[in-house]
Amino acid sequence: MSADDLPPSRIVGGGINTRESEQPVVVTQMLGIASSNPVREEVLRERFLSFDPLFDAASSLVAHQLVLRGRIAAADAPPELRQMDEDMLLTGLYSLTQDGLTTELPLLVRISADVLFSDIPQQLDHRQLIWCVSLDNEQHLARALALQDAGLTFCPSLNRGHAIVQDSASAWRYLACRADDIPPAVPARLIVEGARHIHPQIRWPANAWFKGSLFSGDTPPAVHSYEQAVQLDLLAIALRQSLDTLIQFFRLNPDMAPRLLAIANSPIGGLSRPAESVAHALIMLGPQRAARVAILLALTGKQPGDAARHYAVTALTRALFMGKITRLGAPAESAAAAFEIGLLSAAPHALSLPLEALIRKLGLTATSARALSAHPSPEGAMLQLAHACENNDAGVLARYAQQLDIPLHQISVAYLDALIAASALDTALH
């Protein structure tokens, strides 16, 4: 791909520069749009909770399930460990309800039979909460039905071996199923877990909700090392764009600070003067640029090797390119989303984790998940265009340029711009 026969172009706006004025071809600052302040749910999630997404058949986000981050006790673990996990989950739920539980989407919470027979569901109940519980016998069934009559909402898993429990299927507003089950003929909305392929989804009712690796991945196992856990935590925090939480992260992980300062004080950060500390750098960068610098650090770790540096530079090149190309014909918000997808595209390789696990772990939007999973979408086409530029694949490049209605010379200039700008990152990582 070459633009030697064309005069150098000046691109209006720019993928990571959201102003409308003309910009030089070489862009070395990661400027972005303002973001809203974080809410209580996100702060809690960054610490020890996660919100697993549920999607409908059209891949629209329709609900979340509250879960613990990282490893949870196995089914055959000692009861004390399983009790500890449930206590932590319910403590987090209590904090959410005390803060008003501002989520507009339903929130599923799984509880044990012991909690079902306690006062906790009634004490913590909220109009958006759906209690998930396994009903194994008539006592469980009677208790859940009584609480439902009192105004609580349930999504039970019914014991297949108990006829009376099974006969209650029509009594529920929500009903838990597995993707390999035969869909029951009931008026309830079916919550289908374990959806991994598109074909089984077709046989479920149109109003069913799905959870599984087809959309977002199942709950992943614990990370393989402490360093990887730290990088994942930083990545999750950075995606929320919370300056206060980022500053707190580096107070708790001071060994990560030197590399963060190196990136922030390089041309990539675009600071007007060198920052003296991490807190100073993050405040000077602002929420969006600080988040992007932190994402790059999360991809590399505190002591990056050759492979980690390569992944980070590749991710930044894609992000700069996708943001700039998107900004040619779309608003700043779309350019910011494209930039984020470009950064995250290298995360599975950089962190040595499956894409599905990362999507679930980070709670990515359906738009980002589809693009990164190669599902057809405008953002996915933009990412494929970036891959075509990397591989100098003229045929694929021409096809996507036509599909996106972008002149080849503008693609060439934008990709060259991104390559030049991202090269400054390699120096900061040595």
Side-chain angles (χ1 to χ4, degrees), residues 11-24 29 31-33 327 332:
I11 299 177
V12 175
I16 42 105
N17 238 324
T18 59
R19 297 172 297 183
E20 296 298 333
S21 60
E22 291 188 339
Q23 303 295 326
Q29 297 185 10
L31 304 178
I33 60 173
R327 193 66 181 92

Side-chain angles (χ1 to χ4, degrees), residues 137-378:
N137 53 49
E138 294 177 58
Q139 289 75 26
H140 295 170
L141 175 60
R143 174 63 175 173
L145 286 172
L147 290 175
Q148 180 172 259
D149 290 341
L152 280 68
T153 304
F154 282 88
C155 177
S157 301
L158 304 180
N159 183 356
R160 296 181 181 181
H162 198 292
I164 295 177
V165 171
Q166 279 290 312
D167 288 344
S168 73
S170 60
W172 309 103
R173 290 177 55 194
Y174 300 88
L175 192 62
C177 302
R178 295 294 304 174
D180 54 357
D181 290 344
I182 297 175
V186 294
R189 184 186 299 277
L190 304 181
I191 309 297
V192 184
E193 296 191 9
R196 301 180 184 278
H197 308 287
I198 190 65
H199 301 295
Q201 179 192 346
I202 298 173
R203 59 190 178 88
W204 289 92
N207 69 339
W209 291 352
F210 297 88
K211 178 185 175 185
S213 59
L214 172 63
F215 300 103
S216 59
D218 295 325
T219 301
V223 291
H224 301 297
S225 68
Y226 173 78
E227 182 176 357
Q228 187 187 48
V230 171
Q231 288 175 252
L232 278 170
D233 282 346
L234 177 56
L235 187 55
I237 294 170
L239 289 172
R240 306 283 76 78
Q241 297 189 18
S242 169
L243 275 181
D244 291 341
T245 311
L246 275 176
I247 291 172
Q248 182 65 21
F249 172 88
F250 286 103
R251 286 175 180 164
L252 297 174
N253 299 276
D255 54 341
M256 299 284 279
R259 186 66 62 189
L260 186 283
L261 272 178
I263 299 174
N265 285 329
S266 74
I268 296 302
L271 295 177
S272 57
R273 64 184 186 279
E276 300 174 357
S277 67
V278 165
H280 186 208
L282 295 175
I283 292 171
M284 290 177 65
L285 287 166
Q288 190 174 66
R289 277 195 296 168
R292 291 172 175 179
V293 168
I295 289 173
L296 291 171
L297 176 60
L299 295 179
T300 63
K302 60 183 178 181
Q303 295 179 330
D306 291 342
R309 290 194 298 271
H310 169 73
Y311 290 137
V313 172
T314 299
L316 181 56
T317 302
R318 292 174 183 172
L320 289 163
F321 171 73
M322 291 174 63
K324 182 170 285 294
I325 286 293
T326 301
R327 193 66 181 92
L328 289 173
E333 291 83 356
S334 298
F339 190 100
E340 182 177 286
I341 290 169
L343 279 184
L344 293 174
S345 65
H349 301 288
L351 297 173
S352 301
L353 283 175
L355 175 60
E356 292 82 3
L358 282 171
I359 291 173
R360 203 282 327 167
K361 180 77 173 176
L362 301 175
L364 298 184
T365 64
T367 297
S368 296
R370 283 196 296 267
L372 295 172
S373 303
H375 285 63
S377 69

Side-chain angles (χ1 to χ4, degrees), residues 90 115 118-125 131:
L90 293 174
V115 173
S118 72
D119 294 332
I120 292 175
Q122 289 171 294
Q123 292 173 350
L124 297 184
D125 194 46
W131 299 99

